[in-house]
Amino acid sequence: MLRLWRYRKRSERFVSVAHLAKPLPNIMHYIAVFALLVACALADDSHYSFSQSVGGGGGTSYSVTGEGRITAVRVWEVYSNYIYGFQLRYGDDWTPVIGYVSGQPHELQLFEGERIVQISGKYTHYIQSLIFATSLGRSLHVGQPAGHSFNMYATHPDAELRFLSGMTSGLPTSLQAHWAIFDTESSEAH
């Protein structure tokens, strides 16, 4: 109970004036709760998410980003073993290769409106295998499935892969996926 006190000069005593404080009407409680719920809903920005990093993680950090939507993926492997290198294409522009280039790459070119919605694979000290899955059910499988399994996907059903980050020690040693909804009208992720 709320206690309010007022000092009375004449008798030098404190007198309770709690009966003077009136409780808020019930409608004010409902408005306050509603405002709090709206604020919580607006604060929940689930259009962006990232997957936990996988791999040994030694070396130098990298981030593979570009302008626009991802339109293709290239991955190089060492003799059906671990991942040797990879790169993404945004629009018509390829990013720099993370890792090394050796032999012919495995490549997945996305159709108009198709997006990468899942990355799975295996890792030990290096990234052993990668599987890029698309919104149309297509996939690219590269590497040898040995080691610890991982599965990365967005928390929002309309989000897609926006960029990759991790560590590299020559070869990619760790991988982290970043997901967001791509706004096709403004060509920006939000």
Side-chain angles (χ1 to χ4, degrees):
M1 174 179 206
L2 178 65
R3 291 220 173 235
L4 298 176
W5 297 92
R6 185 175 75 178
Y7 183 75
R8 258 181 137 173
K9 262 189 171 180
R10 283 187 219 164
S11 62
E12 296 184 356
R13 290 187 190 175
F14 288 100
V15 178
S16 175
V17 290
H19 64 279
L20 299 176
K22 297 190 179 185
L24 294 173
N26 283 340
I27 189 73
M28 293 302 288
H29 289 288
Y30 291 120
I31 291 172
V33 170
F34 178 73
L36 181 63
L37 289 174
V38 168
C40 289
L42 292 176
D44 180 25
D45 187 13
S46 60
H47 293 100
Y48 174 81
S49 62
F50 60 92
S51 302
Q52 183 175 354
S53 182
V54 297
T60 307
S61 63
Y62 68 83
S63 182
V64 182
T65 63
E67 293 293 320
R69 181 172 259 163
I70 295 172
T71 56
V73 178
R74 280 185 189 152
V75 182
W76 290 267
E77 65 179 332
V78 175
Y79 308 112
S80 295
N81 199 342
Y82 50 86
I83 302 303
Y84 207 56
F86 63 86
Q87 72 181 147
L88 301 175
R89 186 177 72 195
Y90 290 85
D92 294 327
D93 300 323
W94 286 99
T95 63
V97 174
I98 300 301
Y100 300 114
V101 173
S102 177
Q104 291 297 314
H106 299 267
E107 189 171 310
L108 175 64
Q109 294 201 26
L110 302 179
F111 298 132
E112 184 72 31
E114 187 176 22
R115 58 197 207 284
I116 297 172
V117 295
Q118 183 178 6
I119 303 173
S120 301
K122 299 267 189 172
Y123 69 94
T124 56
H125 180 68
Y126 297 108
I127 306 299
Q128 296 293 122
S129 68
L130 286 172
I131 302 168
F132 289 89
T134 74
S135 57
L136 297 180
R138 299 189 314 137
S139 59
L140 173 67
H141 298 252
V142 184
Q144 183 63 34
H148 305 285
S149 298
F150 67 89
N151 189 22
M152 302 174 174
Y153 52 88
T155 57
H156 193 282
D158 295 327
E160 62 190 87
L161 180 65
R162 294 298 302 135
F163 68 96
L164 296 171
S165 64
M167 302 289 281
T168 180
S169 181
L171 301 172
T173 59
S174 71
L175 179 72
Q176 184 174 30
H178 301 259
W179 312 90
I181 295 176
F182 186 77
D183 185 0
T184 55
E185 291 180 19
S186 67
S187 296
E188 292 179 3
H190 58 172

